[in-house]
Amino acid sequence: MARKAKELSALEVGRLTSVGHHAVGGVAGLYLYVVESGARSWVLRTMVGSKRRHMGLGGFPEVTLAKARDKARTAKEQISQGFDPIAQRSAVASSLKAQQATQKTFKEAALAYIDAHSQSWDNPKHRAQWVSTLESYAFPHIGNLLVQDVEQEQVLKVLEPIWASKTETASRLRGRIESVLGWATVRKYRSGDNPARWRGHLDQLLAAPNKIQKVKHHRALPASQLADFMKKLRARPGMGARALEFVIYCAARSGEVRGAQWSEMDMKSAVWKVPAERMKAKKEHRVPLSPSALSLLKSLPRGADSDLVFASSKGNPLSDMTLTLLMRRMDVDAVPHGFRSTFRDWAGESTDYPRELAEQALAHVIESKVEAAYRRGDALEKRRKMMIDWANFCDRK
C-alpha cells in the first residue's frame, strides 16, 4: 500500500522553492511542481481509466492550496463517475478556439477584405481611399464590434450623420460597408441579410443621393473658346502642353494619354490602340488619329530608354497634376477632363453625327444591355471622319 503524503499547511507550501515535484497531501496525487525559473504550479497525477494522466490545476500562488485541493477533489469525483476531465477540458478549449476563429471585428474584416482585393485595384490610391473613409467614419462607431453583430442600427449610426452633408462620401462608404459585410458572410463570420444593402432596404430609410446632392460636372471650356485656347496651347513649350493637345484631339482621358506608348501607335493606319488595362471600362479602345494628332506625334522626340509617348524629363509618365497645373497657369476656368464635355457638346450641337457615335468616341459604357448586345463593331471609320472634323474645329483660324 502506497504511503500517504503528509498534509502540508499553506505556510509550508509557500516555503517549497526547491526544483522538483512536491506532494502536499490532503488529496492523493496532488503535487506542487517547481521549475528552475522559480515558477510553481499545481498538478494532479492520477489514473483515468487505464492511463496515468497529469492534470494541470493552475499556477501558485494565484491558485491557493485550498483551491488546488478543491479542484483535485472535483476532478477525482468526475473520474469516479466515468468522465475524463482532461479530455473535457481539451474539448472545451478546442471549441473556444474554433469559435474565436470565426469571430472578427468589423475593422479586422474590413482590413482583410482590403488585403484580399487591393491587388485587383488598378489605382494604388483606391486602397488608401478605402482605408481613409473607413477609419474616418466607420471604425469609430463599429470598428470594434464583432462583424456578426453589425446590423441596420449600427450601419445607420455610421451613415446618417454625413448622409446629407457629405453625400458622395457617405454613398461610397455605404457601398464599402456592404462589400465588407458581404465578404464576412461568405467567410462564415456572420450570417443573414446584409444590413448595408441599398436596394429594397436602405433606400427605404435614406434619401437617394442624387436627390440631395447635385452632380458636380467637370469644368469645361465652351466650344466657342476652343480655337483661341488651342492657339495659346500650341505656343506653350513642354511635354505637358503636347499631352494636353493630344487629349483634346482624341477626346481622351488624361490617364490614357499620360500612359500612352509608341507601341500602341499605328502611324501607318493612323490608329491608337489603348489597351484594356488603361481603359475605365477595361475594354480595348481604338482611337482614329486625325492628321492633326498624327502631326503632333511626329513632332515628338522618341526616347531610347522609354516607350512612353509623353514622358517627363526623367523618363517617367507625367503626373496627374501636370495638365491641371498647366491649365491653371493659362488662367482657364476648366480642367483637362472637361474637354471631353466640350467635344460632346460640339458633336451634339454643331454636327449631325449620331449620339451613339460620339459616345463610342468617348469610350462610354453602354447602359442598355440590349443595345450593347447588338453593337458588335466600334465604327472606327465612321468615327475617323468625326475626329477629323473635330480636329479641324480645334485648329480653325
Side-chain angles (χ1 to χ4, degrees), residues 128-311:
Q129 290 168 348
W130 261 77
V131 174
S132 176
T133 53
L134 290 171
E135 284 185 340
S136 298
Y137 305 107
F139 291 169
H141 294 290
I142 61 176
N144 293 327
L145 278 181
L146 289 179
V147 71
Q148 67 189 30
D149 296 332
V150 177
E151 298 297 343
Q152 173 185 297
E153 181 181 352
Q154 287 75 39
V155 173
L156 288 174
K157 190 174 182 179
V158 173
L159 298 177
E160 284 180 330
I162 60 172
W163 194 255
S165 59
K166 300 178 180 179
T167 308
E168 184 176 354
T169 297
S171 182
R172 290 178 180 175
L173 178 62
R174 182 211 61 77
R176 288 166 184 171
I177 294 174
E178 181 182 12
S179 295
V180 171
L181 296 180
W183 175 88
T185 299
V186 175
R187 290 298 299 265
K188 307 299 183 184
Y189 296 132
R190 62 174 286 118
S191 60
D193 292 334
N194 194 319
R197 67 191 186 282
W198 178 252
R199 189 166 298 177
H201 186 59
L202 290 184
D203 62 349
Q204 304 299 311
L205 303 173
L206 298 170
N210 61 358
K211 298 294 184 182
I212 57 177
Q213 186 178 60
K214 294 182 179 179
V215 176
K216 293 183 179 180
H217 296 286
H218 294 283
R219 300 191 309 279
L221 191 73
S224 59
Q225 299 177 23
L226 184 58
D228 288 338
F229 175 80
M230 290 296 286
K231 290 177 186 176
K232 295 176 182 177
L233 181 60
R234 282 191 290 270
R236 285 260 174 176
M239 195 59 76
R242 305 293 77 78
L244 184 56
E245 275 189 80
F246 199 69
V247 163
I248 297 171
Y249 283 137
C250 298
R253 296 180 178 89
S254 168
E256 296 161 8
V257 170
R258 288 184 291 106
Q261 300 188 24
W262 287 110
S263 56
E264 299 167 3
M265 304 295 175
D266 186 338
M267 306 294 279
K268 184 176 181 180
S269 300
V271 174
W272 170 30
K273 292 183 180 179
V274 189
E277 58 267 22
R278 277 215 323 283
M279 293 300 299
K280 185 176 181 180
K282 301 305 176 190
K283 182 180 179 181
E284 182 186 82
H285 180 54
R286 295 196 300 169
V287 181
L289 297 173
S290 64
S292 296
L294 278 174
S295 177
L296 171 60
L297 289 175
K298 292 175 181 177
S299 71
L300 298 175
R302 296 188 63 164
D305 300 327
S306 175
D307 194 37
L308 286 170
V309 177
F310 301 99

Side-chain angles (χ1 to χ4, degrees), residues 341-358:
S341 295
T342 305
F343 167 80
R344 188 66 186 83
D345 291 343
W346 165 81
E349 298 173 7
S350 303
T351 78
D352 294 326
Y353 289 111
R355 178 191 69 85
E356 294 78 9
L357 204 63

